[in-house]
Amino acid sequence: MAANWKMNLSLDEARDLLIRIKKNEIDFNKVDVLVAPPFTTLQLANELLDGTDILVAGQNMHWEEKGALTGEISALMLKEAGCSHVILGHSERRKLFFETSEIINRKVDAAIVAGLIPIVCVGETLKEREEKKTFDIIKAQLNESLEFFCEKESLPTKLILAYEPVWAIGTGKTATPEAAQEVHLFLRRWLLENFDHDTGEAIRILYGGSVKQGNIKELMFQPDIDGALIGGASLEPDSFLSIIRFYES
Ligand code: PGA
């Protein structure tokens, strides 16, 4: 269960939320938990979560190691700030910051080289879905965002994919579990076609888009949905905790 805080929460709000999560009894044999706060909150998150099993991720990074790149952050800087993961290719980055799959491909490669685990997001817009282009779009995003790995026919099994239909993000409209599963199965088959069987089966595929307490269980019941990337509902302790503890209900 990965929390994408986006550009939300002050340091005080973040501290309160993390302390609440930390105090809760989470069965880490049943669930992995990750939070992706804004850059300026990473250090606080790492300090507060030290000694717990909760992981910390960056929400973005540049592919270069260092240089004259005002406003950017490198994979090594994220690692130094205590991150194990980084979200790459989120639709907000693609749409609002003009990130192409080619850029994402470079970032994924740089993250792996630096020892960070990328959470690579793909997803179609409402228009693309209505035009029945969902699978073509997803396939192109996968081929281009993971091009280096497709060429090598090898993908680190720790890498995580996230299917996030753009029309479901922050809109309250969740894909039905069956519709999400259909795309997750497509992603799984794409993995199995491009990489060896063990890799194809091992890669975790998260669903993202208006995940909340009321729909997490049904989503997690689907065979190819291995977890969730949660935006809005991860900002409030009770709702995030009830999602994390989906296994109890
Ligand atoms: P949401 O965001 O849960 O608020 O829809 C999900 C995401 O963008 O990762």
Side-chain angles (χ1 to χ4, degrees), residues 43-57:
Q43 198 175 346
L44 173 77
N46 274 298
E47 279 165 20
L48 285 173
L49 299 175
D50 190 33
T52 74
D53 286 313
I54 301 171
L55 302 162
V56 179

Side-chain angles (χ1 to χ4, degrees), residues 130-147:
E130 284 171 354
E131 290 171 356
K132 307 216 177 307
K133 288 187 189 151
T134 299
F135 296 122
D136 292 344
I137 295 292
I138 304 276
K139 190 174 178 180
Q141 287 177 344
L142 289 169
N143 285 340
E144 290 163 23
S145 306
L146 296 173
E147 193 184 336

